Amino acid sequence: MATGTEEGAEAARGPAACYRELSRFPAITRAALRAADGGQTFLLYTGPFACLAWSHSETRLLYVAEKSRPKRQPLCPWDVPGTAWPAAEDEDEEGEQFAYHEDWGEALSTRSVPVLCVLDLEGLSLSVLEGVPEHLSPGQALWSLDDRGVVFVGWWHKPFRLGLNACSNRRSGIFYLDLASGCCELLSAEDVSVSSPRLSPDGQRLLYLEGLVGGPHRQCLRLRMDLLLVDVEASTITNLTAGSPEGCWELLTLQWDLLVATCSAPHHPPSLVVAMLPPAGQELPLGWVLVEDTPTVPGVTWKTLTVQPPSGQGPIAQGGPHAVFDARWRPSMAALCQLGFAVLLVNYRGSLGFGQASINSLLSRVGEQDVADTQLAVEQALHREPLDPHRLALLAGSHGAFIALHLLTREPKRYQACALRSPVSNLTTQLGTSDIPDWRYTSLGLPYSFDRVPRAEEVATMLLRSPIAQAAQVQTPVLLCVGARDRRVSPMQALELYRVLRARGVPARLLWYPEGGHALAGVEMEADVFKNCAHWLLQHLGQPRRDGTGQHSP
């Protein structure tokens, strides 16, 4: 059972929230400083490993940090004035300063060896918990009911680490660490993927999400869109947002039966709401109280279009290979609407939210089913809505950019502009450059193992499924936005495509962000990407017209 979406949990574990919590307790700061004076420094984790948990006695704080490494010694200490010769115990480190250290991939390049740490408020001390097996990377920890042990998620990192960000298919287990004995016990099955452990209020039940190892890197694990109450004794599920306005709800926290959540929609920024959870069986109607409201954006409306593929294999609504567009607030989409664009967000078969069978249906059909579904959604939107079929553009990122490039090669004259972020254009080169090389095999329906070596016929198949193989067909002006530090999709893919397009006389522009990762995240970077994408679309489509009511016409 999940208490909220991954996005909500990520926000609650973010650095700002963590440091705000820490700043309320000066004793913690003093303890941390005292530990630092002793030579220990720790990088507080955010992301999939993160936790910040008070003991039930409220005297200790549990969190995850990066294990310290010895400071690098100069290669030739006699050449550096004032530098002492290394001590005898440091001789084993000689020649190790340039040794390669694995990390957990995209957006986790500073996460390599996480450790469980405890700040003791009474003793004003900091300690690293012993007993976690060396082949595990611990995270998402919480205290047992009696504070005598810790429950945590442990990710196997042998024989090597694969990218963990946005990948819920990595081998992991639920472990219990006894603080007195240092014994660590596996509580879950051994060959599964787990996350988000939670103790019931009485401490008698441990709940967590479980999925398969391997396969699609995101699968049916999350509860999202609405807030659901799961009664494990009665085996019932209650929608706590029934009767509320349509949109996207995210649970921020649940404390002492107090629910704190946000609700948003494509035309409505998030509003903060609270409610008290009533006794079992009396949940509805739940009285949500508005704490902080936000106004709707004028001139922006939205609807859901359900499209049935000709094969009858399942619906697509309105995508990464296994992600989803839900009805949440997206500032960039609302801004495009304000500029006069009509925005179609496509959830092709293989997107999250339509069951595991839909996710699996994309395997071995990447570059075919997803492309066909997206094009069908475009055709249906043109048929149902008053849109101009001669003024169409594509805006996409990552695997969505992979789909967009395929659309440009299949219908060269259909789209008048295209703006892409971190595009996948060449599947073959991802084998040696991506932090998730397993996905390249899985996406084509091929098995993956850590000792897998690509075969000639498999590389040929990947190339044939790659947009770069048909790049000669592209005629549409293309803008490419990439981050130099992208570990998921190498920015060299975009550079390769850019050179091909320029050589063939196709208008192309490449924006290279030196500090950018795959998501091109950060206020300044996101703003620059949006500004350039919007300008590129307006440049090649022309300024949207307004109808007689003063509204923009698509």
Side-chain angles (χ1 to χ4, degrees):
M1 183 187 77
T3 58
T5 67
E6 288 181 2
E7 288 88 350
E10 176 71 17
R13 295 192 298 261
C18 291
Y19 291 124
R20 278 198 301 271
E21 184 75 7
L22 287 172
S23 67
R24 295 172 54 201
F25 302 92
I28 294 178
T29 303
R30 290 197 299 271
L33 289 175
R34 178 176 297 181
D37 289 340
Q40 286 185 313
T41 57
F42 297 91
L43 172 66
L44 188 66
Y45 266 36
T46 58
F49 294 99
C51 71
L52 193 64
W54 286 105
S55 62
H56 294 85
S57 63
E58 297 187 356
T59 60
R60 291 179 291 176
L61 184 66
L62 173 67
Y63 66 96
V64 179
E66 177 70 13
K67 183 179 180 180
S68 299
R69 288 199 181 98
K71 294 183 179 180
R72 291 182 176 180
Q73 297 290 337
L75 289 178
C76 302
W78 53 85
D79 289 338
V80 182
T83 301
W85 284 89
E89 59 269 20
D90 295 333
E91 291 182 355
D92 291 340
E93 300 297 328
E94 185 177 352
E96 291 296 315
Q97 59 263 47
F98 296 109
Y100 173 68
H101 295 282
E102 288 183 351
D103 55 51
W104 284 98
E106 171 63 29
L108 299 171
S109 60
T110 59
R111 285 24 174 186
S112 178
V113 185
V115 291
L116 298 176
C117 302
V118 172
L119 280 170
D120 190 325
L121 298 183
E122 293 180 335
L124 294 181
S125 63
L126 183 151
S127 60
V128 176
L129 299 185
E130 303 289 342
V132 177
E134 291 185 358
H135 64 277
L136 295 177
S137 290
Q140 299 185 16
L142 63 154
W143 294 93
S144 63
L145 190 62
D146 56 8
D147 290 344
R148 296 181 180 177
V150 168
V151 176
F152 67 92
V153 175
W155 284 267
W156 272 260
H157 52 234
K158 301 291 185 180
F160 55 82
R161 294 163 175 80
L162 291 170
L164 187 59
N165 185 42
C167 296
S168 60
N169 62 339
R170 303 303 181 214
R171 186 186 178 193
S172 50
I174 301 292
F175 293 84
Y176 174 74
L177 178 64
D178 186 279
L179 299 184
S181 66
C183 292
C184 190
E185 178 185 0
L186 176 63
L187 303 181
S188 63
E190 186 171 348
D191 196 18
V192 295
S193 175
V194 301
S195 62
S196 305
R198 300 288 189 273
L199 275 176
S200 61
D202 61 4
Q204 300 301 308
R205 294 178 178 84
L206 177 65
L207 310 178
Y208 57 91
L209 296 173
E210 181 178 290
L212 301 176
V213 175
H217 62 257
R218 299 180 77 180
Q219 306 185 41
C220 291
L221 296 177
R222 264 198 291 180
L223 300 175
R224 58 183 302 142
M225 289 291 291
D226 296 319
L227 300 185
L228 305 178
L229 175 68
V230 180
D231 189 324
V232 296
E233 293 183 348
S235 299
T236 60
I237 299 178
T238 304
N239 185 351
L240 297 181
T241 62
S244 301
E246 188 176 4
C248 182
W249 288 69
E250 296 187 43
L251 182 64
L252 300 180
T253 188
L254 169 60
Q255 296 289 337
W256 304 290
D257 288 339
L258 176 66
L259 298 167
V260 182
T262 63
C263 57
S264 68
H267 68 312
H268 192 178
S271 296
L272 185 66
V273 295
V274 298
M276 290 299 299
L277 191 63
Q282 304 177 28
E283 291 86 3
L284 296 179
L286 194 64
W288 290 100
V289 177
L290 188 64
V291 176
E292 183 178 359
D293 194 12
T294 53
T296 58
V297 178
V300 178
T301 60
W302 67 282
K303 66 175 66 173
T304 299
L305 303 179
T306 301
V307 181
Q308 186 72 30
S311 61
Q313 294 181 10
I316 56 175
Q318 296 186 317
H322 306 297
V324 67
F325 279 125
D326 53 23
R328 74 178 61 245
W329 164 256
R330 290 180 170 82
S332 58
M333 299 300 101
L336 286 174
C337 292
Q338 288 284 287
L339 290 173
F341 293 97
V343 180
L344 178 68
L345 306 177
V346 182
N347 287 323
Y348 47 81
R349 286 169 293 166
S351 301
L352 299 180
F354 302 95
Q356 189 65 34
S358 174
I359 292 175
N360 292 340
S361 72
L362 186 58
L363 304 184
S364 78
R365 297 185 178 92
V366 166
E368 298 173 353
Q369 174 176 290
D370 44 2
V371 177
D373 284 358
T374 302
Q375 185 56 39
L376 178 60
V378 172
E379 299 294 345
Q380 289 293 315
L382 291 173
H383 177 72
R384 302 182 191 184
E385 305 294 327
L387 304 174
D388 187 347
H390 303 293
R391 302 176 69 245
L392 301 178
L394 295 169
L395 178 65
S398 193
H399 186 80
F402 171 85
I403 296 174
L405 288 170
H406 271 298
L407 292 173
L408 296 185
T409 65
R410 297 184 184 188
E411 297 194 62
K413 299 183 181 297
R414 188 61 186 272
Y415 300 94
Q416 285 68 55
C418 179
L420 306 177
R421 295 168 286 105
S422 309
V424 178
S425 58
N426 191 334
L427 301 183
T428 61
T429 60
Q430 284 200 283
L431 290 176
T433 61
S434 176
D435 67 329
I436 54 169
D438 56 312
W439 170 240
R440 288 284 59 90
Y441 291 99
T442 303
S443 65
L444 298 178
L446 301 172
Y448 174 78
S449 62
F450 283 94
D451 59 354
R452 183 75 186 256
V453 177
R455 301 173 182 174
E457 59 271 19
E458 295 167 350
V459 174
T461 300
M462 294 178 188
L463 183 58
L464 290 175
R465 294 285 186 91
S466 302
I468 194 69
Q470 303 296 326
Q473 307 300 320
V474 176
Q475 301 178 23
T476 304
V478 177
L479 172 67
L480 302 166
C481 306
V482 297
R485 297 189 176 186
D486 191 340
R487 301 282 300 280
R488 183 114 329 157
V489 180
S490 171
M492 302 309 293
Q493 291 210 15
L495 181 59
E496 177 188 33
L497 177 63
Y498 171 75
R499 288 169 172 169
V500 170
L501 296 177
R502 290 290 299 270
R504 295 181 176 275
V506 178
R509 188 183 183 207
L510 175 63
L511 298 181
W512 189 279
Y513 296 90
E515 302 300 318
H518 187 61
L520 295 174
V523 175
E524 292 184 3
M525 201 179 314
E526 291 180 39
D528 191 79
V529 169
F530 175 80
K531 177 184 68 175
N532 278 282
C533 288
H535 181 267
W536 186 263
L537 300 184
L538 292 171
Q539 176 185 345
H540 295 283
L541 289 178
Q543 188 69 32
R545 300 182 299 274
R546 295 176 182 268
D547 59 24
T549 64
Q551 298 295 318
H552 291 296
S553 297

